Amino acid sequence: MAAVEELLKEMSEDGKDTLMLIRELSSFVAYYRRLLDKLELDTLTGLPGSNKYQDLKVGIEKRMPAVGVVVFDVNDLKYYNDVKGHQAGDQLLQKAAESFHAVTGPNVQIFRTGGDEFVGIITACVQSDIDGVIAKWQKRLVELNSADDGIRCNIAHGTAFGSGEYRFSDIMALADERMYAHKRWMKENGQKIGNIR
């Protein structure tokens, strides 16, 4: 910035107007970045939100030769909100997000797409990579649930994988179907965590 300012001083009589314009533009760019962060990040969880997810989906089949999808659904949010209060519901979602942060990285992004719904996208992967992500995530969730904080976080999930010529909507539909099957299994088995496949 200093080199640009010096150059502008040489180019104009006093350079004050030009320097003022550059400072205003810099301020506008910083404001725009903060605004973009607010639009793209979910403030409660710190994860990318629905807008960012919608952007990523556009043309994903052309950009990604292989993709893994994990659909997550946090159980009992309504119970926490209605019985324990909205602060407890927020803590439940934050605990879920903390478990997701444990697996995010260059090839794994997890988005909050709705109230208690999250979607994980795994890129540059093979099908077995999804199992590794799930195992690491479940391990972290078990650790978080060992805390004596009155918040037990149970999350149903479903996975799917596509490569070559695939339709992202088909992969999402399969992952969603598997998530609902898992959710039923969890209810039938007392929502046990740690022995989920």
Side-chain angles (χ1 to χ4, degrees):
M1 187 71 158
V4 173
E5 289 179 0
E6 289 300 318
L7 181 62
L8 288 168
K9 280 181 186 176
E10 289 175 16
M11 292 171 61
S12 64
E13 226 173 69
D14 61 11
K16 287 181 184 175
D17 291 340
T18 309
L19 288 175
M20 189 171 76
L21 179 63
I22 286 176
R23 288 186 182 119
E24 285 180 23
L25 283 173
S26 296
S27 191
F28 175 76
V29 168
Y31 171 77
Y32 176 75
R33 285 184 179 152
R34 287 193 307 274
L35 187 62
L36 203 56
D37 282 347
K38 285 184 180 179
L39 288 172
E40 293 183 343
L41 282 182
D42 175 63
T43 53
L44 180 67
T45 63
L47 293 167
S50 185
N51 289 336
K52 187 78 170 168
Y53 171 66
Q54 295 303 327
D55 288 345
L56 179 117
K57 282 191 337 181
V58 175
I60 193 169
E61 297 96 338
K62 292 177 183 165
R63 292 192 325 274
M64 307 290 173
V67 67
V69 171
V70 188
V71 175
F72 299 97
D73 189 88
V74 179
N75 295 339
D76 302 321
L77 178 60
K78 183 171 173 30
Y79 165 80
Y80 277 91
N81 282 335
D82 293 351
V83 176
K84 295 190 169 193
H86 286 278
Q87 184 177 0
D90 287 351
Q91 289 173 326
L92 177 70
L93 292 172
Q94 287 167 335
K95 185 175 276 194
E98 192 172 341
S99 73
F100 299 142
H101 281 291
V103 296
T104 57
N107 296 345
V108 181
Q109 283 187 287
I110 300 182
F111 305 84
R112 184 179 181 199
T113 56
D116 58 1
E117 298 164 357
F118 298 80
V119 173
I121 305 292
I122 306 163
T123 57
C125 66
V126 295
Q127 192 161 6
S128 60
D129 292 336
I130 300 170
D131 295 335
V133 169
I134 294 298
K136 186 176 178 184
W137 161 70
Q138 285 182 327
K139 181 177 183 226
R140 182 62 182 140
L141 186 59
V142 169
E143 292 168 358
L144 291 168
N145 276 330
S146 68
D148 187 19
D149 59 4
I151 306 290
R152 174 112 179 128
C153 187
N154 294 302
I155 305 172
H157 72 278
T159 65
F161 175 77
S163 63
E165 292 186 22
Y166 65 88
R167 287 179 47 191
F168 187 73
S169 58
D170 292 342
I171 295 169
M172 280 299 301
L174 180 58
D176 209 43
E177 180 184 316
R178 290 174 172 170
M179 182 276 294
Y180 280 110
H182 185 215
K183 197 172 187 73
R184 287 190 298 275
W185 181 91
M186 291 178 83
K187 286 184 180 178
E188 291 165 5
N189 291 277
Q191 300 187 345
K192 295 173 187 169
I193 292 289
N195 59 351
I196 299 166
R197 297 275 176 242

